[in-house]
Amino acid sequence: MKKGKVLKIVTVLLVLGLLLVTGCGTGGTSSSQAAGGPITVTFWHSMGGVPAKTLTTLINKFNATHKDIQVKLVYQGSYDDAFNKLKASPDQGPDLFQVYDIGTRYMIDAGLVTPMQNFIDKSKFDLSQFEPHVLHYYEVGGKLYSMPFNTSVPVLYYNKTMFKAAGLDPNKPPLTFADVEKDAKALTTKSGGKTVYGFSQAIYGWFFEQYLARDGALYVNNGNGRDKAATESLVNSPAGVDILTWWKKMIDDGAATNLGRQTSATQAAFGAQQIAMTIDSCGILPNLTTAAAGKFKIGIAPLPRGNNASDSGPIIGGGSLWILKNKPKAEQEAAWKVVQWLTQPAQMAAWTVGTGYLPINKAAVNEQTYKDFLAKYPSYQVALDQLHNTPENRVTEGGRIGVFTSARATVENAIEQAVLNKATPQAALDAAAKKITSAIQEYNQTMGVK
Amino acid sequence: MQREEPKSEPGSQAKSGVKAKGAKELAHALVYLGPSLILFLIFVFYPMVKTVYLSFYLTNPGGDPVVWKGIQAYLTLLGSSSFRNSVVVSFLFVLYTVPGTILASLLLAVLANVKLRGIGVYRTLYSLTIGVSVASAATIWMLLFSPADNGMLNYFLHLVGLPKIGWLVTTRSALPSLALMTVWMGVGFNFIVLMGGLQSLPEEIFESARIDGAGRWKQFRHITVPLLSPTLFFLLVVDTIAAFQSFGQFNILTLGGPDHSTNVIVYSIYREAFFNSRFGPASAQAVVLFVIILILTLLQFGVVERKVHYQ
């Protein structure tokens, strides 16, 4: 081959290489709209499995009924993954973004969003139909920055059939830590080298946050970071230590087992009747019911509370929808239309029925689809009652810090240390509180939060 | 394609001519190297320089450097017990996986090197794991490792009358469990490389060894291993680096837990950077990891390579 020809080929390859490299930088956004065509709203979400199917069905229905707006659903992996992707390149983000409960502070501090309240005020959207506790959770300074969407509370699931076999009343589930401990002992049986445990809960920081609120204790100072920016973690309060002491004692006594961090592991064990009670989100009731079909009956009870705690309530969990501000006005308006449509009673009822998430639009319970659902899973009412019975205060509104993801992981590590006998509950939580406090202060410093 | 003669004919040109030829050759080389150089510049060298730069700062959650900290991050790392733990865990992981993978693959490769009908089936089976991504492997092993009675491995233990193991949920067993899975995954690639090495060994040497009365073990010990040593050395270097850089199985199976017992440096970097948004300290960890791997690789080339027998 001639030298000139080689050079030519190489040059072409070089240019192609450049295209490859620079091409990566510009793809991926959807902000360019064909003139006159429908507006495309890119919607990043983190719903997997059954909820993903339900969301897709809903969005397909929206697209079919709205000729001027087309929603493009993009599954971005777990909440953490999606959140980290947005953090890494905010300019490549979507129009509409589902963020988990604990991402609120960061979303606002990072200045990436158009407050939902702007749209609500402008179109005089009626919020009176929405669950007030849910609205308060997401409000910052009386303003909604995002629209609550998928909402859940933790509940105690128990195996009614095993309750009966152990001589316990299947209609009297445990309500306090002491009750859980007592019942778990009665439910634990050994036969043929196999142990059925009375209780197991995943090492999941969300549960700890919930127990803390249930026992009336704050997660961080300054009114859970709601009166002004939090500066200090309070996870090592007596209530926190009580939670871990109880958790650890049941495992030490052999009445509970530690199945690690994955909630899927406890769910599988509960379905296989290897554990008699577990804690999980109300959202997984349909899944558990399927697993139990033909084998045993499931009961639901409110999240157990600490022995010395007054009757407070849990914080809500789940996610909310955000409209990003670096997109064209028309796309933001279109995204707002999607949000309005999704939170209407009919859609909310379909959403609850298809996922187990709470109907945050109160009118949804009057929809026939919801009534049928409740007839099929009557115990679901416990979850909704728990939401309604929760008093409104700084504790049950939940902590608000910009470093919640890392704080949660820190607490999970503390739980592991206590459960695996690496440290006492007090020592583990003291160390965790110290670490979280330093993370909060560093965050405040880099974000210029005062 | 015909290759150009790399060297000019001796004495046929004046000095300036040699120089011009040298420059021309350099230009020529650059053209050939160009595509990879550009890719390396953009995807390797630029991020590397930027990492070092970021390690001197505290960043905001968007990753922009905002507060100059100098070498503070490095000093903190030196005094940090959790980083020391990460270094220890990383080294243990290398120790648990690299020799195991190479030995297991060598055993399989020697087995599969016999000439039998249908041996191709075994060769294919042994190398299968090369086609399994970390993510799918981790998901499969998550089911195998399930600590409840429905976990497959615990079920087998139960069948043979052994007590259950906590696999990923106890601090003592989590890292060995991950190592087990990583060895399984690494066998495919190692097997193929070793198989290639074995097949290229000259048959005559073995023949004359047999005539001289060398048994199977002697042949293996004194002929196969020395002749295979370049391949083994290559695997040692590559596997060590890969073990240090393992991430997927940690992210999917343990999240660095329980109680940091599987928090290898790479996973700790990921948590620091993308969850805690502390890109500065994370970059400092990345730089330290780079230095560790560099030193180890130099050591391997300096010490171990002397024992390598090149034909």
Side-chain angles (χ1 to χ4, degrees):
Chain A
M1 208 185 278
K2 290 256 171 61
K3 210 205 272 175
K5 206 166 179 188
V6 175
L7 264 177
K8 240 185 235 166
I9 292 175
V10 170
T11 317
V12 169
L13 281 177
L14 271 174
V15 174
L16 281 178
L18 276 178
L19 275 180
L20 177 83
V21 170
T22 51
C24 298
T26 49
T29 45
S30 66
S31 43
S32 59
Q33 304 286 358
I39 296 176
T40 305
V41 172
T42 311
F43 182 0
W44 282 11
H45 72 98
S46 297
M47 302 277 91
V50 178
K53 272 187 209 154
T54 310
L55 186 59
T56 310
T57 314
L58 278 174
I59 291 299
N60 285 345
K61 204 169 155 198
F62 178 90
N63 285 343
T65 50
H66 293 74
K67 288 283 160 273
D68 52 335
I69 302 171
Q70 292 299 300
V71 180
K72 201 174 117 207
L73 265 187
V74 185
Y75 175 64
Q76 287 289 10
S78 71
Y79 286 126
D80 282 330
D81 289 342
F83 200 44
N84 291 339
K85 277 178 201 170
L86 186 81
K87 272 192 202 171
S89 56
D91 299 333
Q92 312 273 311
D95 300 294
L96 192 58
F97 186 30
Q98 181 190 30
V99 180
Y100 53 7
D101 43 8
I102 57 176
T104 301
R105 179 85 249 169
Y106 174 80
M107 286 298 284
I108 298 170
D109 287 344
L112 297 173
V113 298
T114 306
M116 198 58 74
Q117 195 72 44
N118 294 6
F119 298 102
I120 293 170
D121 292 345
K122 213 159 74 188
S123 50
K124 300 202 169 55
F125 185 69
D126 181 19
L127 283 175
S128 64
Q129 278 303 304
F130 284 65
E131 292 285 353
H133 185 48
V134 179
L135 291 181
H136 285 149
Y137 177 83
Y138 285 103
E139 268 168 13
V140 178
K143 251 167 98 172
L144 266 186
Y145 279 76
S146 62
M147 183 63 86
F149 181 52
N150 53 316
T151 303
S152 57
V153 287
V155 289
L156 174 96
Y157 291 98
Y158 64 101
N159 185 322
K160 282 189 168 178
T161 314
M162 282 165 80
F163 260 60
K164 211 178 251 169
L168 299 171
D169 185 348
N171 295 317
K172 270 206 187 130
L175 297 174
T176 64
F177 286 180
D179 292 348
V180 173
E181 206 178 320
K182 195 165 75 24
D183 290 353
K185 274 186 187 143
L187 288 159
T188 302
T189 57
K190 279 196 173 93
S191 68
K194 284 203 174 190
T195 311
V196 171
Y197 291 94
F199 183 76
S200 181
Q201 58 190 344
I203 295 179
Y204 183 20
W206 186 57
F207 297 157
F208 179 86
E209 294 152 27
Q210 298 291 350
Y211 284 128
L212 210 56
R214 187 88 172 89
D215 294 355
L218 294 171
Y219 195 79
V220 284
N221 69 349
N222 292 340
N224 251 344
R226 285 172 187 261
D227 297 329
K228 60 183 188 160
T231 56
E232 201 185 329
S233 158
L234 300 176
V235 293
N236 56 343
S237 62
V241 176
D242 280 352
I243 297 165
L244 251 61
T245 309
W246 163 71
W247 197 322
K248 170 184 158 54
K249 182 164 183 290
M250 276 198 295
I251 293 173
D252 288 349
D253 291 351
T257 181
N258 168 25
L259 297 176
R261 290 193 183 193
Q262 315 272 3
T263 48
S264 57
T266 43
Q267 286 161 17
F270 185 77
Q273 304 203 70
Q274 287 160 3
I275 55 175
M277 295 185 282
T278 190
I279 304 292
D280 218 311
S281 152
C282 66
I284 74 151
L285 176 65
N287 283 353
L288 286 185
T289 309
T290 314
K295 290 193 287 181
F296 63 96
K297 276 210 163 82
I298 293 180
I300 299 186
L303 188 74
R305 63 169 194 272
N307 301 328
N308 308 316
S310 55
D311 197 8
S312 183
I315 316 159
I316 61 155
S320 64
L321 304 177
W322 297 75
I323 295 177
L324 296 179
K325 77 167 183 198
N326 55 359
K327 298 288 167 179
K329 268 251 140 46
E331 279 177 43
Q332 295 188 31
E333 289 293 339
W336 166 236
K337 278 193 184 129
V338 179
V339 172
Q340 289 181 71
W341 185 85
L342 277 174
T343 49
Q344 288 312 298
Q347 279 72 256
M348 265 296 128
W351 178 240
T352 299
V353 169
T355 62
Y357 284 115
L358 294 170
I360 53 162
N361 189 324
K362 285 186 274 186
V365 300
N366 301 325
E367 297 283 322
Q368 192 56 43
T369 41
Y370 182 79
K371 286 180 183 160
D372 295 344
F373 171 77
L374 205 58
K376 197 168 161 200
Y377 309 105
S379 47
Y380 188 78
Q381 189 61 40
V382 172
L384 200 52
D385 287 345
Q386 186 171 231
L387 178 73
H388 292 152
N389 295 339
T390 298
E392 208 59 63
N393 56 43
R394 287 291 184 242
V395 167
T396 59
E397 279 172 0
R400 181 168 288 148
I401 48 177
V403 290
F404 218 132
T405 328
S406 77
R408 186 174 273 182
T410 304
V411 168
E412 281 164 1
N413 198 63
I415 301 171
E416 280 172 347
Q417 287 180 329
V419 164
L420 300 170
N421 283 318
K422 302 279 167 187
T424 63
Q426 182 74 58
L429 284 174
D430 284 346
K434 203 173 145 209
K435 198 170 168 197
I436 297 170
T437 298
S438 110
I440 293 174
Q441 288 171 353
E442 197 170 275
Y443 174 87
N444 290 349
Q445 192 188 351
T446 56
M447 295 299 271
V449 177
K450 289 204 179 74
Chain B
M1 202 197 292
Q2 251 185 336
R3 269 222 299 207
E4 312 254 327
E5 272 304 306
K7 289 246 164 71
S8 57
E9 278 171 58
S12 68
Q13 269 165 343
K15 254 195 176 165
S16 63
V18 174
K19 224 178 196 174
K21 184 97 180 182
K24 211 173 164 195
E25 267 176 23
L26 183 67
H28 214 145
L30 277 179
V31 169
Y32 282 112
L33 288 173
S36 44
L37 263 185
I38 289 175
L39 288 177
F40 269 111
L41 271 177
I42 293 172
F43 290 112
V44 179
F45 300 130
Y46 170 71
M48 249 171 80
V49 172
K50 186 92 187 199
T51 304
V52 176
Y53 166 76
L54 276 177
S55 70
F56 297 127
Y57 284 91
L58 209 55
T59 61
N60 67 11
D64 309 310
V66 282
V67 185
W68 167 263
K69 286 272 174 180
I71 56 164
Q72 184 59 47
Y74 294 94
L75 295 178
T76 313
L77 278 189
L78 285 180
S80 145
S81 62
S82 80
F83 183 69
R84 240 176 290 144
N85 170 65
S86 289
V87 173
V88 171
V89 171
S90 296
F91 272 97
L92 280 179
F93 185 69
V94 171
L95 202 65
Y96 290 168
T97 55
V98 175
T101 313
I102 296 181
L103 282 180
S105 320
L106 184 61
L107 182 74
L108 290 177
V110 170
L111 269 179
N113 199 32
V114 295
K115 294 190 180 64
L116 275 178
R117 254 176 26 139
I119 194 71
V121 175
Y122 286 94
R123 288 179 186 166
T124 314
L125 284 178
Y126 291 158
S127 56
L128 265 188
T129 58
I130 200 177
V132 182
S133 72
V134 184
S136 12
T139 312
I140 295 168
W141 281 81
M142 187 192 288
L143 300 174
L144 296 179
F145 281 141
S146 173
D149 291 338
N150 56 354
M152 189 116 43
L153 294 181
N154 273 343
Y155 176 73
F156 289 139
L157 287 181
H158 178 74
L159 279 189
V160 294
L162 287 172
K164 281 200 298 191
I165 295 179
W167 301 111
L168 301 172
V169 301
T170 73
T171 43
R172 205 183 293 164
S173 58
L175 192 65
S177 303
L178 281 177
L180 180 70
M181 175 241 164
T182 310
V183 168
W184 173 81
M185 237 178 38
V187 160
F189 170 73
N190 281 247
F191 171 80
I192 290 179
V193 174
L194 286 171
M195 199 65 209
L198 280 177
Q199 305 244 305
S200 68
L201 298 188
E203 184 58 29
E204 310 88 67
I205 302 183
F206 289 97
E207 234 162 69
S208 50
R210 267 197 296 277
I211 292 167
D212 289 345
R216 289 223 164 226
W217 169 249
K218 276 216 161 126
Q219 285 179 36
F220 177 75
R221 174 70 190 80
H222 295 290
I223 301 176
T224 313
V225 171
L227 286 183
L228 210 55
S229 58
T231 313
L232 290 170
F233 178 66
F234 166 76
L235 286 177
L236 177 71
V237 174
V238 174
D239 285 355
T240 305
I241 295 176
F244 266 114
Q245 296 181 337
S246 299
F247 170 76
Q249 55 270 61
F250 295 93
N251 188 35
I252 294 173
L253 290 176
T254 63
L255 304 172
D259 189 22
H260 294 308
S261 60
T262 60
N263 197 11
V264 286
I265 304 178
V266 169
Y267 189 71
S268 147
I269 293 172
Y270 168 72
R271 284 305 296 199
E272 264 313 56
F274 296 105
F275 278 78
N276 306 350
S277 302
R278 300 175 77 226
F279 293 91
S283 301
Q285 288 190 41
V287 172
V288 173
L289 177 65
F290 168 73
V291 171
I292 289 177
I293 297 185
L294 183 72
I295 291 175
L296 257 188
T297 310
L298 288 177
L299 268 180
Q300 286 173 335
F301 273 95
V303 179
V304 186
E305 206 197 10
R306 287 196 203 151
K307 305 217 161 129
V308 171
H309 177 91
Y310 291 106
Q311 271 181 290

